[in-house]
DNA sequence: CAACCACTTTACGTTAACGTCAACGTCGTC
DNA sequence: GACGACGTTGACGTTAACGTAAAGTGGTTG
């Protein structure tokens, strides 16, 4: 991002596994992340992705792949697509954003952050519960083994 | 749970804040956890709660309160009500559960556990992202402050 | 060239988790 | 005894996040 895009052409590469692939089809991405193409198109419709188009078909670059990854991670953490989009949009608008917008972004980030903290605590508590339940289950199992 | 329920009557208690309240109305519980009564009734309908009834009205005890708490925590961690119910049911059926059921329970627990692990990792990664975005935002803000 | 992919758009269907509204019962109190 | 606060059931509505089916496009392969 901060590195000026080099004007060097990619070295003639007969390699079968190009180090850093340029583009992906929707099907490829779908398999990579174990989602359906439908899901990916839906995310685009919701403003989370904006792939290039070659004619009709979508061409996904690294940037898009990263966005999808972040989106799915956000989802696993319980964020709605709308929330995720909000952050992504502000992030994209950052360079020329005014102070008010930036402060708003910082607010949102702080909010997400406290959310994460709470989830960390929830996870710790939940893990204890699981430990507890598992222990009891094992006890009962052992008692069943010796009549 | 392991302590035999004392037969001592609750000491005559003119106290305004009884140490360990016996029961709750649906409205009280709702306010405690910042959900609506509708939500609590829905959870009952889904088999997550089973409060006592005095006539028509529901009476919630400590056990019910704990269940609700666990349920809401599970929700914050992205579990579906069905998943939560599954664990609760198996937990209740544990004492007289057969070996197969118990092993099944252990499987489920292991599953939840790996889910937690993944979420921990997701949270760590997400926190880094947030750190990163926040840093950039602050940079831009400072640059705006000094023209 | 036909057959078969992978991709496209459009549109309607589905599920979970409640919200909302109506219509009613039951207290305490003014 | 009317009123308000709280509780009840029942039924229908809503939203997010996709699933699914229909019908068409574009390339390549036997």
């Amino acid at each position: 991002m901060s590195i000026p895009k080099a004007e060097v052409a990619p070295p003639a590469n007969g390699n079968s596994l190009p180090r850093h692939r340029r583009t992906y089809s929707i099907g490829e991405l779908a398999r990579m992340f174990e989602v359906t193409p439908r899901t990916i198109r839906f995310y685009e419709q919701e403003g989370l992705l904006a792939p290039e188009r070659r004619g009709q078909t979508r061409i996904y670059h690294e940037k898009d792949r990263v966005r999808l990854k972040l989106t799915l991670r956000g989802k696993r953490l319980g964020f709605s697509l709308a929330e995720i989009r909000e952050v992504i949009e502000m992030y994209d608008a950052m360079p020329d954003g005014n102070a008010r917008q930036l402060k708003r972004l910082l607010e949102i980030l702080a909010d997400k952050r406290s959310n994460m903290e709470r989830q960390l605590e929830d996870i710790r508590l939940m893990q204890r519960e699981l430990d507890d339940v598992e222990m009891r289950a094992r006890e009962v199992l052992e008692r069943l083994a010796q009549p």
Side-chain angles (χ1 to χ4, degrees), chain A:
Chain A
M1 280 301 212
S2 52
I3 307 160
K5 285 162 192 120
E7 290 295 295
V8 290
N13 194 346
N15 212 324
S16 61
L17 276 177
R19 217 77 181 81
H20 207 70
R21 270 178 65 186
R22 286 282 127 78
T23 69
Y24 308 86
S25 78
I26 194 171
E28 283 176 310
L29 269 191
R31 268 165 309 196
M32 290 182 61
F33 292 102
E34 306 196 279
V35 299
T36 69
R38 171 67 173 113
T39 298
I40 298 181
R41 292 196 196 99
F42 182 72
Y43 289 173
E44 177 178 350
Q45 177 182 326
E46 295 299 300
L48 294 167
L49 297 172
E52 192 198 329
R53 292 276 186 147
R54 173 134 43 233
Q56 281 259 82
T57 68
R58 285 161 245 253
I59 311 272
Y60 297 88
H61 298 230
E62 273 310 306
K63 183 186 168 188
D64 301 307
R65 198 184 59 87
V66 170
R67 272 204 188 178
L68 179 53
K69 192 177 64 181
L70 292 180
T71 298
L72 293 174
R73 182 182 300 151
K75 275 217 55 190
R76 284 196 302 270
L77 294 179
F79 295 120
S80 73
L81 297 184
E83 288 176 302
I84 297 171
R85 184 188 50 201
E86 192 176 19
V87 172
I88 286 185
E89 277 177 359
M90 301 209 73
Y91 182 83
D92 283 5
M94 245 185 47
D96 60 333
N98 57 40
R100 200 175 44 71
Q101 272 212 333
L102 287 172
K103 298 211 174 193
R104 172 94 182 92
L105 175 55
L106 288 181
E107 276 177 32
I108 295 183
L109 292 181
D111 192 77
K112 305 290 179 205
R113 216 177 276 281
S114 74
N115 196 314
M116 301 285 95
E117 297 296 342
R118 184 192 200 154
Q119 275 197 277
L120 275 180
E121 180 63 10
D122 279 340
I123 289 183
R124 274 198 291 273
L125 293 173
M126 182 65 84
Q127 281 180 333
R128 291 198 189 192
E129 296 285 344
L130 293 181
D131 287 347
D132 188 51
V133 176
E134 178 164 347
M135 235 190 53
R136 290 170 191 268
R138 291 199 185 285
E139 277 175 19
V140 178
L141 257 181
E142 278 194 44
R143 231 171 294 157
L144 281 185
Q146 304 153 347

